[in-house]
Amino acid sequence: MKILVAIDVHETRTKPAARAAIRFAQDVVQKTSGSFSIALVGNRINEAVAAVNGFGAEAIYLLDDPQLAGHLAQPTTTALVHLQRQHNFNLLVAPDSTTARDYLPRLAGVLSAGMCRGVCEAVTRPEGLCYKRNVFSGMVTRWERITSPLQIVSVEATAVGEPRKGTDAEAIPLKLNLPSDARTTFIETRRAHSQRPDLAVAECVVGAGRGIKSAEAMSKVEELTDKLGAALGATRAVVDAGWMPNEYQIGQTGKSIAPKLYLAIGISGAVQHVAGIRAARTIVAVNKDAEAPLLRVADIAVIGDLGKIVPRMLELL
């Protein structure tokens, strides 16, 4: 089986989720005696080669073009279609990122390929590869099979481990000359700048929920976060209230995380939020409501007034 791992490059860097996609490809190669290559997609991407090299890929294809700077679906699809028609891969793998969610369905349509999103494992069966994915906010697991000649999957970032070390690969630039798409224009990227760890890969995360009551109370949560050297996250209710930007949202419609410690402050535990933290190793829930749903999945529960508990935590730290 020939596998292609498609990885977006943002401002010369790859995202941590790319490593999960590489590890998934390595696992499939082990099970099918195949090989995998990597495609870096973006503009001015040479610096990103080092981040994906040394994992046993056969080649690293550089899909580098000004039209790919904004990661719009149409030019990204055109670039990957060009590569696919040159090399005829059997399986295309990408991280389950917001960017991939935009272009993968279009790519599947153009190439008449079956697609499975948010995969966390693959197994070989007599009828072919079968993919495991979580559905219904992580409450149900099901196995799916793709019957088309080309299969497309996106990999859940927290589902697999780190990629194994392997041989280096040659970086191969491809000439694309992508046409401009008059229907869609990339304008700008706006990012929240923070000195805290990246929420997606942090080993310790502090999450804030509606129970903190106000935007002013966030200052104590942020102080606790910094004392722990942790990343800061939030529930959808906090984001919708405007207390935190949406890039901090954890859950089914936000980011899935897998920290060693997740400290949930004032979070009731809706199933959509729990879906994003199910890979956390230890969950500590701080809530005044002893019947809050999150306490059913938490490893440690602290019941009481947040206005007293959080300051006491700060004193002890």
Side-chain angles (χ1 to χ4, degrees), residues 48-298:
V49 172
V52 300
N53 210 348
F55 298 119
E58 280 200 336
I60 299 174
Y61 298 104
L62 306 182
L63 279 59
D64 193 334
D65 191 280
Q67 291 292 324
L68 299 172
H71 297 283
L72 299 177
Q74 180 61 52
T76 301
T77 298
T78 302
L80 288 171
V81 166
H82 174 76
L83 183 58
Q84 168 63 19
R85 288 177 175 164
Q86 278 188 342
H87 296 276
N88 196 30
F89 295 101
N90 308 114
L91 173 63
L92 192 149
V93 179
D96 191 37
S97 62
T98 52
T99 303
R101 291 175 196 175
D102 190 21
Y103 75 76
L104 284 184
R106 183 187 294 264
L107 183 65
V110 172
L111 295 172
S112 299
M115 177 181 163
C116 189
R117 191 200 141 218
V119 168
C120 51
E121 187 182 345
V123 297
T124 52
R125 292 181 178 168
E127 61 271 26
L129 277 174
C130 290
Y131 303 104
K132 178 183 175 183
R133 61 188 295 259
N134 297 307
V135 295
F136 300 115
S137 301
M139 299 177 69
V140 176
T141 297
R142 75 181 182 199
W143 291 90
E144 299 181 358
R145 186 167 67 91
I146 302 173
T147 58
S148 57
L150 171 63
Q151 304 179 21
I152 296 178
V153 301
S154 64
V155 179
E156 188 175 318
T158 60
V160 295
E162 287 289 300
R164 294 180 291 270
K165 292 295 183 182
T167 56
D168 286 339
E170 179 187 1
I172 305 173
L174 296 183
K175 190 174 182 180
L176 296 172
N177 295 323
L178 297 176
S180 61
D181 182 4
R183 296 169 298 175
T184 311
T185 303
F186 171 72
I187 298 174
E188 65 175 339
T189 299
R190 295 183 181 181
R191 298 185 185 276
H193 296 285
S194 172
Q195 299 301 315
R196 299 187 182 105
D198 184 340
L199 176 60
V201 295
E203 292 191 348
C204 179
V205 175
V206 176
R210 193 199 303 269
I212 65 171
K213 299 296 186 183
S214 68
E216 289 71 27
M218 277 302 305
S219 61
K220 286 292 183 183
V221 177
E222 291 188 38
E223 187 179 348
L224 178 61
T225 301
D226 293 335
K227 283 254 189 175
L228 291 170
L232 182 62
T235 63
R236 180 167 185 167
V238 169
V239 170
D240 287 349
W243 301 346
M244 290 185 68
N246 60 11
E247 56 262 36
Y248 291 94
Q249 184 174 324
I250 300 169
Q252 187 177 16
T253 54
K255 294 181 178 179
S256 294
I257 60 173
K260 291 181 179 178
L261 172 65
Y262 180 56
L263 178 57
I265 307 293
I267 296 175
S268 62
V271 292
Q272 292 85 356
H273 184 76
V274 173
I277 64 169
R278 60 176 176 266
R281 190 175 303 176
T282 301
I283 299 173
V284 178
V286 181
N287 205 302
K288 70 176 183 180
D289 181 7
E291 300 300 320
L294 186 61
L295 272 61
R296 299 173 196 154
V297 298

Side-chain angles (χ1 to χ4, degrees), residues 10-51:
H10 298 261
E11 297 178 356
T12 74
R13 297 186 301 275
T14 60
K15 293 189 174 181
R19 299 176 69 84
I22 295 172
R23 173 57 186 269
F24 182 85
Q26 289 177 330
D27 291 345
V28 174
V29 164
Q30 271 194 341
K31 295 170 183 177
T32 63
S33 300
S35 62
F36 78 96
S37 298
I38 296 172
L40 291 178
V41 185
N43 188 220
R44 298 178 180 175
I45 61 179
N46 288 333
E47 291 182 27
V49 172

